Amino acid sequence: MIEQMNRWQQRYGIAEWQQFWAPFENDVVRNYFAAIYGHWSRRDWQAARHLLSDRLYETNAFWQKMYVERGWFNRLDNLRVEQIVLAKIDSDKFYEAITVRIFAACNDYTEDAGGKIVGGSKTSLRRFSEYWTFVRRSGAQRHDKPYSLSQCPSCGAPADNMGQSGECGYCGSKISTGQFSWVLFLIEQDEVYCG
């Protein structure tokens, strides 16, 4: 991992790893985690569209649809990130990818439309970890301020008009490709992550 970090620092002229890692950990990983799982819990998956790769969005949209059809709500209350650990850095001439292991906790439960618990627990805290892989195009424009979760990274318009295909309804840019900034490409559970 040290070698990957050193190559990253050289590539971007960063003197200390923390110059990159602190903003990435806070502005990308923590903010995306809260926003994505917040939208999931509210069954407002479309609002997270601009943060996700096409495949990840579509996969989870399938599960959201199933929950809606059954009248279920999957809730992640009291969600908190406890630790973020760098797992892997990859880059080639087209893409850059950073995988992190996120240790988190929440009250994870599913309830029906009447509020009856059909799975999980409202009161027992569930601790878990997941591997999240973020990607962006090599040479993506670097912005002085962090990527906004509420704006199109191309035109700056509100992210309230994102199409199903990840296109901004204002400027037409497809923003889920990593061209402008990081998108969440993959979520893997501990038991399937191979590094």
Side-chain angles (χ1 to χ4, degrees), residues 49-122:
R49 179 64 187 100
H50 63 297
L51 304 174
L52 305 163
S53 68
D54 292 347
R55 186 177 112 189
L56 188 59
Y57 174 78
E58 291 299 329
T59 300
N60 285 285
F62 166 83
W63 290 107
Q64 279 280 321
K65 183 179 178 201
M66 185 194 74
Y67 275 72
V68 169
E69 288 171 355
R70 293 185 177 171
W72 291 355
F73 291 83
N74 180 220
R75 309 281 191 202
L76 304 173
D77 292 346
N78 304 312
L79 182 67
R80 69 174 184 264
V81 173
E82 295 181 335
Q83 184 181 10
I84 299 168
V85 177
L86 179 63
K88 187 176 182 181
I89 302 172
D90 271 330
S91 62
D92 61 27
K93 70 183 217 176
F94 300 107
Y95 284 96
E96 300 170 334
I98 296 180
T99 302
V100 296
R101 186 175 185 191
I102 302 172
F103 294 86
C106 68
N107 299 103
D108 182 358
Y109 60 96
T110 301
E111 60 185 1
D112 65 17
K116 179 183 174 196
I117 304 295
V118 295
S121 173
K122 259 186 172 179

Side-chain angles (χ1 to χ4, degrees), residues 81-177:
V81 173
E82 295 181 335
Q83 184 181 10
I84 299 168
V85 177
L86 179 63
K88 187 176 182 181
I89 302 172
D90 271 330
S91 62
D92 61 27
K93 70 183 217 176
F94 300 107
Y95 284 96
E96 300 170 334
I98 296 180
T99 302
V100 296
R101 186 175 185 191
I102 302 172
F103 294 86
C106 68
N107 299 103
D108 182 358
Y109 60 96
T110 301
E111 60 185 1
D112 65 17
K116 179 183 174 196
I117 304 295
V118 295
S121 173
K122 259 186 172 179
T123 57
S124 295
L125 194 63
R126 182 176 79 89
R127 287 194 156 75
F128 64 98
S129 73
E130 296 175 331
Y131 289 86
W132 283 34
T133 300
F134 295 88
V135 298
R136 71 178 177 189
R137 286 197 185 271
S138 291
Q141 294 178 355
R142 307 308 192 267
H143 300 286
D144 293 335
K145 54 186 177 180
Y147 178 49
S148 171
L149 300 184
S150 61
Q151 293 180 315
C152 169
S154 178
C155 70
D160 62 354
N161 194 8
M162 294 296 152
Q164 289 289 92
S165 62
E167 293 178 353
C168 174
Y170 297 100
C171 71
S173 294
K174 182 158 176 71
I175 63 172
S176 60
T177 62

